[in-house]
Amino acid sequence: MNNKFNAPMMILVAAIALAGVGCGNNKMAVAESTAVVVDSNNSGTGTIPTSPDGSGTNTGGTTTSYSNEGTFTPVSITELNNYIGTRPVNDPKNFKLKVQLSDVGNGRYAGTVSMSYTDSGVTYTGSFTAGTGKNASYSGLKDNNTLEAEYNRFFTSGGKTVFTGFFQDQWGGVVLVVDNVISQGDAQGGTIVTGSLYYKNFAQSYATQSPYRKCWFIYDGPYNCRSGSVINKSAVIPNDGYRKLGTFSGISKAAAFQ
């Protein structure tokens, strides 16, 4: 007679949920190389106009200070969820866009662009940067000693002064677009800019981004966030896979672009 022995087994399953704001998501999958590819340097074309005035005086002759933070309106909740990637939003409100940039030479602007909102009592902020320095110089790499903010500048399109520029966080790249510069008149304190924010999530990958280049200087692989129209200043709207996240208004040019 055979006896069967049954041993009980206990399995403990733990799930960790990550919540945050920014481009991309935290699901990882094997992807292509992240190498910075040697390619021809394209610093962009087009006229670089004088940056629009952002200061003004009121009727008393004193300078009026405006904010570098304005109202942000997402295209849709669906698009917002696609941008966040890690979790669905519940009841988002109080959207803001903050622009903190400075001229690092020849009309190129470096700094931080931040989009924030409140959801279920918690404030989430995605901050995207372009550094003030230059690319490190290494044999075999392109764009050596090029300003990290090389493509972030005002230019003329359709007879209007506009701005496009790249910024990134760990999840992906964004393009800040200023497509309208509104003079408030001296009595109202200067110039207000309005525009849009576009995003491009990084592809899922176990590999890490090259420490030597921001995503707009990476020509191939999951960390490539380049856009020909932004680089060449051939159009105001970014191409090459960028999606419109929303629009902003009410930002002082003087406070945002210093």
Side-chain angles (χ1 to χ4, degrees):
M1 182 175 182
N2 294 327
N3 293 324
K4 294 183 178 179
F5 179 73
N6 294 321
M9 179 178 295
M10 299 181 64
I11 301 174
L12 178 64
V13 179
I16 301 175
L18 297 177
V21 62
C23 289
N25 57 55
N26 60 339
K27 296 180 180 179
M28 309 299 286
V30 177
E32 54 193 315
S33 168
T34 63
V36 182
V37 179
V38 176
D39 202 347
S40 59
N41 184 28
N42 190 337
S43 298
T45 59
T47 303
I48 304 177
T50 301
S51 180
D53 179 31
S55 62
T57 55
N58 60 25
T59 53
T62 58
T63 300
T64 302
S65 177
Y66 278 2
S67 176
N68 62 352
E69 185 177 72
T71 301
F72 185 78
T73 304
V75 170
S76 67
I77 295 301
T78 298
E79 202 64 61
L80 180 65
N81 279 327
N82 189 64
Y83 153 80
I84 295 170
T86 56
R87 59 175 181 80
V89 294
N90 181 33
D91 183 26
K93 58 187 65 175
N94 194 31
F95 290 90
K96 299 291 183 182
L97 187 78
K98 189 172 186 178
V99 180
Q100 298 173 283
L101 306 181
S102 59
D103 189 338
V104 292
N106 198 26
R108 269 60 176 179
Y109 285 87
T112 303
V113 174
S114 303
M115 195 280 284
S116 64
Y117 65 93
T118 301
D119 190 18
S120 300
V122 179
T123 298
Y124 298 93
T125 302
S127 295
F128 305 86
T129 61
T132 59
K134 294 183 178 181
N135 289 337
S137 181
Y138 289 96
S139 176
L141 296 186
K142 198 59 183 176
D143 305 306
N144 288 328
N145 295 316
T146 300
L147 279 172
E148 199 168 285
E150 174 64 27
Y151 305 125
N152 300 357
R153 62 178 174 87
F154 286 93
F155 63 104
T156 301
S157 177
K160 296 172 57 179
T161 296
V162 296
F163 174 93
T164 58
F166 292 112
F167 304 86
Q168 79 153 91
D169 70 356
Q170 69 184 102
W171 305 113
V174 298
V175 170
L176 178 71
V177 173
V178 171
D179 56 18
N180 202 11
V181 179
I182 307 168
S183 175
Q184 298 293 294
D186 288 344
Q188 299 183 48
T191 302
I192 299 298
V193 295
T194 66
S196 304
L197 189 68
Y198 290 78
Y199 74 100
K200 185 177 183 180
N201 292 345
F202 290 146
Q204 298 174 359
S205 176
Y206 280 117
T208 58
Q209 183 178 350
S210 166
Y212 307 117
R213 295 291 186 266
K214 289 291 191 182
C215 60
W216 49 92
F217 288 114
I218 296 177
Y219 291 81
D220 195 13
Y223 296 103
N224 169 11
C225 74
R226 292 169 67 81
S227 167
S229 62
V230 177
I231 292 169
N232 299 318
K233 303 306 178 196
S234 57
V236 179
I237 298 175
N239 58 357
D240 296 322
Y242 275 87
R243 298 168 65 103
K244 187 174 183 177
L245 181 58
T247 59
F248 66 88
S249 61
I251 292 180
S252 164
K253 194 276 166 187
F257 296 85
Q258 298 183 355

